[in-house]
Amino acid sequence: MAEEIAALRWDESPDGGDGPAVVLLDQTRLPVDEVELVCADVPALVRAIRELAVRGAPLLGIAGAYGVALAAARGDDVDRAAGLLAGARPTAVNLAYGVRKAQGAFEAAGRDGDGAGAAAALAEARRLHADDARASARMAEHGLRVLGELVPAGGYRLLTHCNTGALVSGGAGTGFAVVLAAHRSGALRRLWVDETRPLLQGSRLTAYEAARAGVPYTLLTDNAAGSLFADGQVDAVIVGADRIAADGSVANKVGTYPLAVLAHYHRVPFLVVAPTTTVDFGTPDGSAIEVEQRAGGEVTEFSVPYAAGACSAPAAVAYAVAPVGTEAYNPAFDVTPPELVTALVTERGVASPVSGDSLVELCGR
Ligand code: MRU
């Protein structure tokens, strides 16, 4: 079996550095190059978050917490660093959550930059990292059980969108952890992987993870999903979430909502897999979720960092795929209403149907 993917690690003394650093597997360079990006200060980490070198809701929370620990270890202004980190991307609630937890630990230890405060922030980041790995394992168990209840036996053909595996987590991931569990139990027939325009998290990252794990997968363009449903080739949809509002509305990678509509029309179970840290009772409903709007250039140009089959040759070529000056609509996420979600799978168990009440029951608020 291929080595486990480590999307992020804390390094006390990286080569050539003069202090600790947050070291990321640079996701902008996958699947061609597996290279690390060393973030020795918070501005470098914020840049990595904005450019999606590190991404996905749970991992953003972990990165944010380590970022606070980094600022504390360097003796930087921790409150300022926390503000920069939490504001780097607005939709994934785990980012602000992770930052807040590490900042709280730093404060509780007396705001001591070099000593106890820095150690407490780092310990909190490490705790969140380990908790997330445990949550992944629990989600996989619950998700596999739910699949067994919702889908007739005979080999699942699962459709997924964006990337929800080890690249977004301290463990095996959210949705992809369930896919892996199904695969390892012999119950997975095929994983359909949406390419996930415009930044191709499906083809670059999910296909990479599936290939490494030996999962049988097929890549499709996002707009081919309808034909698959119409042909009866999808047994369930499995996605993650970036924020779940108090009413159960789910913000996830743009393109998730159309899949939920398709699944509803074709009576196919639609599962959202996310840790309870992604549930945000401070956001009352879907309309209150801030959806990140990204640069139009991500839609009007294909950015090709490497020639096909080449390695480590950062050509960084951008090809125009629209006339110069074209205005593009480029929300990074969309919002799926709870009535389109068959079940929400978390580390604490399953909410089905998904509603404000079932969320409160599950999260014990
Ligand atoms: O813009 P990204 O790549 O950070 O978006 C990530 C997603 O939308 C994932 O599907 C989501 O974080 C859920 S999996 C943890």
mmCIF file with all atom_site columns, all heavy atoms in Angstrom, residues 339-364:
data_model
loop_
_atom_site.group_PDB
_atom_site.id
_atom_site.type_symbol
_atom_site.label_atom_id
_atom_site.label_alt_id
_atom_site.label_comp_id
_atom_site.label_asym_id
_atom_site.label_entity_id
_atom_site.label_seq_id
_atom_site.pdbx_PDB_ins_code
_atom_site.Cartn_x
_atom_site.Cartn_y
_atom_site.Cartn_z
_atom_site.occupancy
_atom_site.B_iso_or_equiv
_atom_site.pdbx_formal_charge
_atom_site.auth_seq_id
_atom_site.auth_comp_id
_atom_site.auth_asym_id
_atom_site.auth_atom_id
_atom_site.pdbx_PDB_model_num
ATOM 1   N N   . GLU A 1 339 ? -33.138 19.822 2.984  1.00 0.00 ? 339 GLU A N   1
ATOM 2   C CA  . GLU A 1 339 ? -34.110 18.817 2.501  1.00 0.00 ? 339 GLU A CA  1
ATOM 3   C C   . GLU A 1 339 ? -33.560 17.995 1.334  1.00 0.00 ? 339 GLU A C   1
ATOM 4   O O   . GLU A 1 339 ? -34.129 16.964 0.974  1.00 0.00 ? 339 GLU A O   1
ATOM 5   C CB  . GLU A 1 339 ? -35.454 19.472 2.138  1.00 0.00 ? 339 GLU A CB  1
ATOM 6   C CG  . GLU A 1 339 ? -35.402 20.571 1.105  1.00 0.00 ? 339 GLU A CG  1
ATOM 7   C CD  . GLU A 1 339 ? -35.141 21.961 1.683  1.00 0.00 ? 339 GLU A CD  1
ATOM 8   O OE1 . GLU A 1 339 ? -34.640 22.064 2.823  1.00 0.00 ? 339 GLU A OE1 1
ATOM 9   O OE2 . GLU A 1 339 ? -35.443 22.952 0.981  1.00 0.00 ? 339 GLU A OE2 1
ATOM 10  N N   . LEU A 1 340 ? -32.437 18.450 0.746  1.00 0.00 ? 340 LEU A N   1
ATOM 11  C CA  . LEU A 1 340 ? -31.824 17.659 -0.332 1.00 0.00 ? 340 LEU A CA  1
ATOM 12  C C   . LEU A 1 340 ? -30.745 16.708 0.184  1.00 0.00 ? 340 LEU A C   1
ATOM 13  O O   . LEU A 1 340 ? -30.142 15.967 -0.582 1.00 0.00 ? 340 LEU A O   1
ATOM 14  C CB  . LEU A 1 340 ? -31.228 18.590 -1.396 1.00 0.00 ? 340 LEU A CB  1
ATOM 15  C CG  . LEU A 1 340 ? -32.220 19.445 -2.183 1.00 0.00 ? 340 LEU A CG  1
ATOM 16  C CD1 . LEU A 1 340 ? -31.497 20.258 -3.250 1.00 0.00 ? 340 LEU A CD1 1
ATOM 17  C CD2 . LEU A 1 340 ? -33.308 18.581 -2.816 1.00 0.00 ? 340 LEU A CD2 1
ATOM 18  N N   . VAL A 1 341 ? -30.454 16.787 1.494  1.00 0.00 ? 341 VAL A N   1
ATOM 19  C CA  . VAL A 1 341 ? -29.405 15.937 2.069  1.00 0.00 ? 341 VAL A CA  1
ATOM 20  C C   . VAL A 1 341 ? -30.069 14.738 2.751  1.00 0.00 ? 341 VAL A C   1
ATOM 21  O O   . VAL A 1 341 ? -30.859 14.902 3.679  1.00 0.00 ? 341 VAL A O   1
ATOM 22  C CB  . VAL A 1 341 ? -28.565 16.736 3.096  1.00 0.00 ? 341 VAL A CB  1
ATOM 23  C CG1 . VAL A 1 341 ? -27.473 15.843 3.698  1.00 0.00 ? 341 VAL A CG1 1
ATOM 24  C CG2 . VAL A 1 341 ? -27.956 17.980 2.440  1.00 0.00 ? 341 VAL A CG2 1
ATOM 25  N N   . THR A 1 342 ? -29.753 13.548 2.292  1.00 0.00 ? 342 THR A N   1
ATOM 26  C CA  . THR A 1 342 ? -30.372 12.349 2.879  1.00 0.00 ? 342 THR A CA  1
ATOM 27  C C   . THR A 1 342 ? -29.853 12.133 4.296  1.00 0.00 ? 342 THR A C   1
ATOM 28  O O   . THR A 1 342 ? -30.615 11.799 5.200  1.00 0.00 ? 342 THR A O   1
ATOM 29  C CB  . THR A 1 342 ? -30.037 11.101 2.024  1.00 0.00 ? 342 THR A CB  1
ATOM 30  O OG1 . THR A 1 342 ? -30.262 11.419 0.657  1.00 0.00 ? 342 THR A OG1 1
ATOM 31  C CG2 . THR A 1 342 ? -30.876 9.912  2.432  1.00 0.00 ? 342 THR A CG2 1
ATOM 32  N N   . ALA A 1 343 ? -28.544 12.296 4.488  1.00 0.00 ? 343 ALA A N   1
ATOM 33  C CA  . ALA A 1 343 ? -27.969 12.079 5.818  1.00 0.00 ? 343 ALA A CA  1
ATOM 34  C C   . ALA A 1 343 ? -26.687 12.890 5.965  1.00 0.00 ? 343 ALA A C   1
ATOM 35  O O   . ALA A 1 343 ? -25.930 13.045 5.003  1.00 0.00 ? 343 ALA A O   1
ATOM 36  C CB  . ALA A 1 343 ? -27.667 10.594 6.032  1.00 0.00 ? 343 ALA A CB  1
ATOM 37  N N   . LEU A 1 344 ? -26.498 13.400 7.178  1.00 0.00 ? 344 LEU A N   1
ATOM 38  C CA  . LEU A 1 344 ? -25.226 14.024 7.527  1.00 0.00 ? 344 LEU A CA  1
ATOM 39  C C   . LEU A 1 344 ? -24.488 13.042 8.431  1.00 0.00 ? 344 LEU A C   1
ATOM 40  O O   . LEU A 1 344 ? -24.993 12.657 9.498  1.00 0.00 ? 344 LEU A O   1
ATOM 41  C CB  . LEU A 1 344 ? -25.467 15.346 8.276  1.00 0.00 ? 344 LEU A CB  1
ATOM 42  C CG  . LEU A 1 344 ? -24.236 15.934 8.961  1.00 0.00 ? 344 LEU A CG  1
ATOM 43  C CD1 . LEU A 1 344 ? -23.178 16.347 7.939  1.00 0.00 ? 344 LEU A CD1 1
ATOM 44  C CD2 . LEU A 1 344 ? -24.615 17.120 9.845  1.00 0.00 ? 344 LEU A CD2 1
ATOM 45  N N   . VAL A 1 345 ? -23.297 12.655 7.996  1.00 0.00 ? 345 VAL A N   1
ATOM 46  C CA  . VAL A 1 345 ? -22.487 11.695 8.756  1.00 0.00 ? 345 VAL A CA  1
ATOM 47  C C   . VAL A 1 345 ? -21.385 12.464 9.464  1.00 0.00 ? 345 VAL A C   1
ATOM 48  O O   . VAL A 1 345 ? -20.593 13.166 8.818  1.00 0.00 ? 345 VAL A O   1
ATOM 49  C CB  . VAL A 1 345 ? -21.854 10.655 7.800  1.00 0.00 ? 345 VAL A CB  1
ATOM 50  C CG1 . VAL A 1 345 ? -20.955 9.696  8.572  1.00 0.00 ? 345 VAL A CG1 1
ATOM 51  C CG2 . VAL A 1 345 ? -22.933 9.899  7.037  1.00 0.00 ? 345 VAL A CG2 1
ATOM 52  N N   . THR A 1 346 ? -21.332 12.344 10.787 1.00 0.00 ? 346 THR A N   1
ATOM 53  C CA  . THR A 1 346 ? -20.279 13.006 11.560 1.00 0.00 ? 346 THR A CA  1
ATOM 54  C C   . THR A 1 346 ? -19.568 11.952 12.412 1.00 0.00 ? 346 THR A C   1
ATOM 55  O O   . THR A 1 346 ? -19.966 10.785 12.426 1.00 0.00 ? 346 THR A O   1
ATOM 56  C CB  . THR A 1 346 ? -20.858 14.080 12.507 1.00 0.00 ? 346 THR A CB  1
ATOM 57  O OG1 . THR A 1 346 ? -21.493 13.402 13.618 1.00 0.00 ? 346 THR A OG1 1
ATOM 58  C CG2 . THR A 1 346 ? -21.866 14.980 11.815 1.00 0.00 ? 346 THR A CG2 1
ATOM 59  N N   . GLU A 1 347 ? -18.565 12.413 13.168 1.00 0.00 ? 347 GLU A N   1
ATOM 60  C CA  . GLU A 1 347 ? -17.863 11.471 14.053 1.00 0.00 ? 347 GLU A CA  1
ATOM 61  C C   . GLU A 1 347 ? -18.748 11.062 15.232 1.00 0.00 ? 347 GLU A C   1
ATOM 62  O O   . GLU A 1 347 ? -18.489 10.049 15.881 1.00 0.00 ? 347 GLU A O   1
ATOM 63  C CB  . GLU A 1 347 ? -16.525 12.085 14.516 1.00 0.00 ? 347 GLU A CB  1
ATOM 64  C CG  . GLU A 1 347 ? -16.599 13.091 15.661 1.00 0.00 ? 347 GLU A CG  1
ATOM 65  C CD  . GLU A 1 347 ? -17.120 14.462 15.240 1.00 0.00 ? 347 GLU A CD  1
ATOM 66  O OE1 . GLU A 1 347 ? -17.598 14.613 14.101 1.00 0.00 ? 347 GLU A OE1 1
ATOM 67  O OE2 . GLU A 1 347 ? -17.070 15.397 16.087 1.00 0.00 ? 347 GLU A OE2 1
ATOM 68  N N   . ARG A 1 348 ? -19.778 11.856 15.510 1.00 0.00 ? 348 ARG A N   1
ATOM 69  C CA  . ARG A 1 348 ? -20.652 11.524 16.647 1.00 0.00 ? 348 ARG A CA  1
ATOM 70  C C   . ARG A 1 348 ? -21.842 10.673 16.255 1.00 0.00 ? 348 ARG A C   1
ATOM 71  O O   . ARG A 1 348 ? -22.637 10.283 17.098 1.00 0.00 ? 348 ARG A O   1
ATOM 72  C CB  . ARG A 1 348 ? -21.189 12.809 17.263 1.00 0.00 ? 348 ARG A CB  1
ATOM 73  C CG  . ARG A 1 348 ? -20.144 13.599 17.981 1.00 0.00 ? 348 ARG A CG  1
ATOM 74  C CD  . ARG A 1 348 ? -20.797 14.613 18.893 1.00 0.00 ? 348 ARG A CD  1
ATOM 75  N NE  . ARG A 1 348 ? -19.842 15.628 19.262 1.00 0.00 ? 348 ARG A NE  1
ATOM 76  C CZ  . ARG A 1 348 ? -20.122 16.706 19.941 1.00 0.00 ? 348 ARG A CZ  1
ATOM 77  N NH1 . ARG A 1 348 ? -21.370 16.936 20.313 1.00 0.00 ? 348 ARG A NH1 1
ATOM 78  N NH2 . ARG A 1 348 ? -19.199 17.592 20.233 1.00 0.00 ? 348 ARG A NH2 1
ATOM 79  N N   . GLY A 1 349 ? -22.036 10.487 14.978 1.00 0.00 ? 349 GLY A N   1
ATOM 80  C CA  . GLY A 1 349 ? -23.188 9.726  14.515 1.00 0.00 ? 349 GLY A CA  1
ATOM 81  C C   . GLY A 1 349 ? -23.811 10.413 13.315 1.00 0.00 ? 349 GLY A C   1
ATOM 82  O O   . GLY A 1 349 ? -23.177 11.262 12.670 1.00 0.00 ? 349 GLY A O   1
ATOM 83  N N   . VAL A 1 350 ? -25.065 10.084 13.069 1.00 0.00 ? 350 VAL A N   1
ATOM 84  C CA  . VAL A 1 350 ? -25.709 10.473 11.812 1.00 0.00 ? 350 VAL A CA  1
ATOM 85  C C   . VAL A 1 350 ? -26.981 11.261 12.086 1.00 0.00 ? 350 VAL A C   1
ATOM 86  O O   . VAL A 1 350 ? -27.766 10.890 12.966 1.00 0.00 ? 350 VAL A O   1
ATOM 87  C CB  . VAL A 1 350 ? -26.050 9.189  11.007 1.00 0.00 ? 350 VAL A CB  1
ATOM 88  C CG1 . VAL A 1 350 ? -26.784 9.520  9.721  1.00 0.00 ? 350 VAL A CG1 1
ATOM 89  C CG2 . VAL A 1 350 ? -24.770 8.420  10.705 1.00 0.00 ? 350 VAL A CG2 1
ATOM 90  N N   . ALA A 1 351 ? -27.177 12.347 11.336 1.00 0.00 ? 351 ALA A N   1
ATOM 91  C CA  . ALA A 1 351 ? -28.444 13.082 11.376 1.00 0.00 ? 351 ALA A CA  1
ATOM 92  C C   . ALA A 1 351 ? -29.193 12.796 10.088 1.00 0.00 ? 351 ALA A C   1
ATOM 93  O O   . ALA A 1 351 ? -28.678 13.027 8.997  1.00 0.00 ? 351 ALA A O   1
ATOM 94  C CB  . ALA A 1 351 ? -28.181 14.584 11.515 1.00 0.00 ? 351 ALA A CB  1
ATOM 95  N N   . SER A 1 352 ? -30.402 12.268 10.222 1.00 0.00 ? 352 SER A N   1
ATOM 96  C CA  . SER A 1 352 ? -31.219 11.977 9.037  1.00 0.00 ? 352 SER A CA  1
ATOM 97  C C   . SER A 1 352 ? -32.676 11.853 9.488  1.00 0.00 ? 352 SER A C   1
ATOM 98  O O   . SER A 1 352 ? -32.966 10.984 10.318 1.00 0.00 ? 352 SER A O   1
ATOM 99  C CB  . SER A 1 352 ? -30.762 10.681 8.386  1.00 0.00 ? 352 SER A CB  1
ATOM 100 O OG  . SER A 1 352 ? -31.571 10.364 7.272  1.00 0.00 ? 352 SER A OG  1
ATOM 101 N N   . PRO A 1 353 ? -33.550 12.716 9.021  1.00 0.00 ? 353 PRO A N   1
ATOM 102 C CA  . PRO A 1 353 ? -33.320 13.818 8.091  1.00 0.00 ? 353 PRO A CA  1
ATOM 103 C C   . PRO A 1 353 ? -32.475 14.905 8.751  1.00 0.00 ? 353 PRO A C   1
ATOM 104 O O   . PRO A 1 353 ? -32.357 14.952 9.972  1.00 0.00 ? 353 PRO A O   1
ATOM 105 C CB  . PRO A 1 353 ? -34.739 14.316 7.783  1.00 0.00 ? 353 PRO A CB  1
ATOM 106 C CG  . PRO A 1 353 ? -35.550 13.926 8.983  1.00 0.00 ? 353 PRO A CG  1
ATOM 107 C CD  . PRO A 1 353 ? -34.950 12.655 9.485  1.00 0.00 ? 353 PRO A CD  1
ATOM 108 N N   . VAL A 1 354 ? -31.934 15.768 7.908  1.00 0.00 ? 354 VAL A N   1
ATOM 109 C CA  . VAL A 1 354 ? -31.098 16.853 8.412  1.00 0.00 ? 354 VAL A CA  1
ATOM 110 C C   . VAL A 1 354 ? -31.980 18.074 8.669  1.00 0.00 ? 354 VAL A C   1
ATOM 111 O O   . VAL A 1 354 ? -32.710 18.527 7.786  1.00 0.00 ? 354 VAL A O   1
ATOM 112 C CB  . VAL A 1 354 ? -29.990 17.198 7.394  1.00 0.00 ? 354 VAL A CB  1
ATOM 113 C CG1 . VAL A 1 354 ? -29.121 18.322 7.922  1.00 0.00 ? 354 VAL A CG1 1
ATOM 114 C CG2 . VAL A 1 354 ? -29.145 15.965 7.101  1.00 0.00 ? 354 VAL A CG2 1
ATOM 115 N N   . SER A 1 355 ? -31.918 18.579 9.897  1.00 0.00 ? 355 SER A N   1
ATOM 116 C CA  . SER A 1 355 ? -32.735 19.740 10.269 1.00 0.00 ? 355 SER A CA  1
ATOM 117 C C   . SER A 1 355 ? -32.067 20.400 11.456 1.00 0.00 ? 355 SER A C   1
ATOM 118 O O   . SER A 1 355 ? -31.140 19.841 12.056 1.00 0.00 ? 355 SER A O   1
ATOM 119 C CB  . SER A 1 355 ? -34.137 19.282 10.682 1.00 0.00 ? 355 SER A CB  1
ATOM 120 O OG  . SER A 1 355 ? -34.038 18.526 11.881 1.00 0.00 ? 355 SER A OG  1
ATOM 121 N N   . GLY A 1 356 ? -32.564 21.583 11.831 1.00 0.00 ? 356 GLY A N   1
ATOM 122 C CA  . GLY A 1 356 ? -32.044 22.254 13.023 1.00 0.00 ? 356 GLY A CA  1
ATOM 123 C C   . GLY A 1 356 ? -32.143 21.341 14.228 1.00 0.00 ? 356 GLY A C   1
ATOM 124 O O   . GLY A 1 356 ? -31.199 21.215 15.010 1.00 0.00 ? 356 GLY A O   1
ATOM 125 N N   . ASP A 1 357 ? -33.287 20.659 14.370 1.00 0.00 ? 357 ASP A N   1
ATOM 126 C CA  . ASP A 1 357 ? -33.499 19.793 15.543 1.00 0.00 ? 357 ASP A CA  1
ATOM 127 C C   . ASP A 1 357 ? -32.539 18.610 15.551 1.00 0.00 ? 357 ASP A C   1
ATOM 128 O O   . ASP A 1 357 ? -31.955 18.270 16.584 1.00 0.00 ? 357 ASP A O   1
ATOM 129 C CB  . ASP A 1 357 ? -34.941 19.256 15.557 1.00 0.00 ? 357 ASP A CB  1
ATOM 130 C CG  . ASP A 1 357 ? -35.921 20.363 15.937 1.00 0.00 ? 357 ASP A CG  1
ATOM 131 O OD1 . ASP A 1 357 ? -35.463 21.411 16.426 1.00 0.00 ? 357 ASP A OD1 1
ATOM 132 O OD2 . ASP A 1 357 ? -37.128 20.174 15.704 1.00 0.00 ? 357 ASP A OD2 1
ATOM 133 N N   . SER A 1 358 ? -32.379 17.971 14.379 1.00 0.00 ? 358 SER A N   1
ATOM 134 C CA  . SER A 1 358 ? -31.508 16.780 14.383 1.00 0.00 ? 358 SER A CA  1
ATOM 135 C C   . SER A 1 358 ? -30.053 17.182 14.596 1.00 0.00 ? 358 SER A C   1
ATOM 136 O O   . SER A 1 358 ? -29.266 16.433 15.181 1.00 0.00 ? 358 SER A O   1
ATOM 137 C CB  . SER A 1 358 ? -31.690 15.937 13.117 1.00 0.00 ? 358 SER A CB  1
ATOM 138 O OG  . SER A 1 358 ? -31.254 16.621 11.967 1.00 0.00 ? 358 SER A OG  1
ATOM 139 N N   . LEU A 1 359 ? -29.685 18.409 14.171 1.00 0.00 ? 359 LEU A N   1
ATOM 140 C CA  . LEU A 1 359 ? -28.312 18.874 14.422 1.00 0.00 ? 359 LEU A CA  1
ATOM 141 C C   . LEU A 1 359 ? -28.090 19.111 15.906 1.00 0.00 ? 359 LEU A C   1
ATOM 142 O O   . LEU A 1 359 ? -27.059 18.750 16.458 1.00 0.00 ? 359 LEU A O   1
ATOM 143 C CB  . LEU A 1 359 ? -28.039 20.173 13.664 1.00 0.00 ? 359 LEU A CB  1
ATOM 144 C CG  . LEU A 1 359 ? -27.728 20.067 12.178 1.00 0.00 ? 359 LEU A CG  1
ATOM 145 C CD1 . LEU A 1 359 ? -27.321 21.433 11.622 1.00 0.00 ? 359 LEU A CD1 1
ATOM 146 C CD2 . LEU A 1 359 ? -26.621 19.069 11.921 1.00 0.00 ? 359 LEU A CD2 1
ATOM 147 N N   . VAL A 1 360 ? -29.074 19.726 16.549 1.00 0.00 ? 360 VAL A N   1
ATOM 148 C CA  . VAL A 1 360 ? -28.940 19.979 17.998 1.00 0.00 ? 360 VAL A CA  1
ATOM 149 C C   . VAL A 1 360 ? -28.846 18.650 18.732 1.00 0.00 ? 360 VAL A C   1
ATOM 150 O O   . VAL A 1 360 ? -28.010 18.472 19.626 1.00 0.00 ? 360 VAL A O   1
ATOM 151 C CB  . VAL A 1 360 ? -30.124 20.826 18.505 1.00 0.00 ? 360 VAL A CB  1
ATOM 152 C CG1 . VAL A 1 360 ? -30.149 20.852 20.025 1.00 0.00 ? 360 VAL A CG1 1
ATOM 153 C CG2 . VAL A 1 360 ? -30.049 22.238 17.950 1.00 0.00 ? 360 VAL A CG2 1
ATOM 154 N N   . GLU A 1 361 ? -29.654 17.699 18.330 1.00 0.00 ? 361 GLU A N   1
ATOM 155 C CA  . GLU A 1 361 ? -29.633 16.393 18.991 1.00 0.00 ? 361 GLU A CA  1
ATOM 156 C C   . GLU A 1 361 ? -28.256 15.726 18.838 1.00 0.00 ? 361 GLU A C   1
ATOM 157 O O   . GLU A 1 361 ? -27.686 15.194 19.765 1.00 0.00 ? 361 GLU A O   1
ATOM 158 C CB  . GLU A 1 361 ? -30.711 15.510 18.387 1.00 0.00 ? 361 GLU A CB  1
ATOM 159 C CG  . GLU A 1 361 ? -31.022 14.296 19.248 1.00 0.00 ? 361 GLU A CG  1
ATOM 160 C CD  . GLU A 1 361 ? -32.180 13.508 18.653 1.00 0.00 ? 361 GLU A CD  1
ATOM 161 O OE1 . GLU A 1 361 ? -33.139 14.131 18.134 1.00 0.00 ? 361 GLU A OE1 1
ATOM 162 O OE2 . GLU A 1 361 ? -32.095 12.283 18.691 1.00 0.00 ? 361 GLU A OE2 1
ATOM 163 N N   . LEU A 1 362 ? -27.707 15.832 17.632 1.00 0.00 ? 362 LEU A N   1
ATOM 164 C CA  . LEU A 1 362 ? -26.422 15.184 17.349 1.00 0.00 ? 362 LEU A CA  1
ATOM 165 C C   . LEU A 1 362 ? -25.260 15.896 18.042 1.00 0.00 ? 362 LEU A C   1
ATOM 166 O O   . LEU A 1 362 ? -24.369 15.255 18.592 1.00 0.00 ? 362 LEU A O   1
ATOM 167 C CB  . LEU A 1 362 ? -26.195 15.211 15.823 1.00 0.00 ? 362 LEU A CB  1
ATOM 168 C CG  . LEU A 1 362 ? -25.005 14.460 15.292 1.00 0.00 ? 362 LEU A CG  1
ATOM 169 C CD1 . LEU A 1 362 ? -25.187 12.958 15.505 1.00 0.00 ? 362 LEU A CD1 1
ATOM 170 C CD2 . LEU A 1 362 ? -24.827 14.750 13.811 1.00 0.00 ? 362 LEU A CD2 1
ATOM 171 N N   . CYS A 1 363 ? -25.278 17.210 17.982 1.00 0.00 ? 363 CYS A N   1
ATOM 172 C CA  . CYS A 1 363 ? -24.118 17.962 18.498 1.00 0.00 ? 363 CYS A CA  1
ATOM 173 C C   . CYS A 1 363 ? -24.271 18.289 19.976 1.00 0.00 ? 363 CYS A C   1
ATOM 174 O O   . CYS A 1 363 ? -23.354 18.848 20.574 1.00 0.00 ? 363 CYS A O   1
ATOM 175 C CB  . CYS A 1 363 ? -23.933 19.258 17.698 1.00 0.00 ? 363 CYS A CB  1
ATOM 176 S SG  . CYS A 1 363 ? -23.652 18.936 15.956 1.00 0.00 ? 363 CYS A SG  1
ATOM 177 N N   . GLY A 1 364 ? -25.431 17.992 20.535 1.00 0.00 ? 364 GLY A N   1
ATOM 178 C CA  . GLY A 1 364 ? -25.640 18.201 21.967 1.00 0.00 ? 364 GLY A CA  1
ATOM 179 C C   . GLY A 1 364 ? -25.538 19.647 22.372 1.00 0.00 ? 364 GLY A C   1
ATOM 180 O O   . GLY A 1 364 ? -24.899 19.977 23.354 1.00 0.00 ? 364 GLY A O   1
#
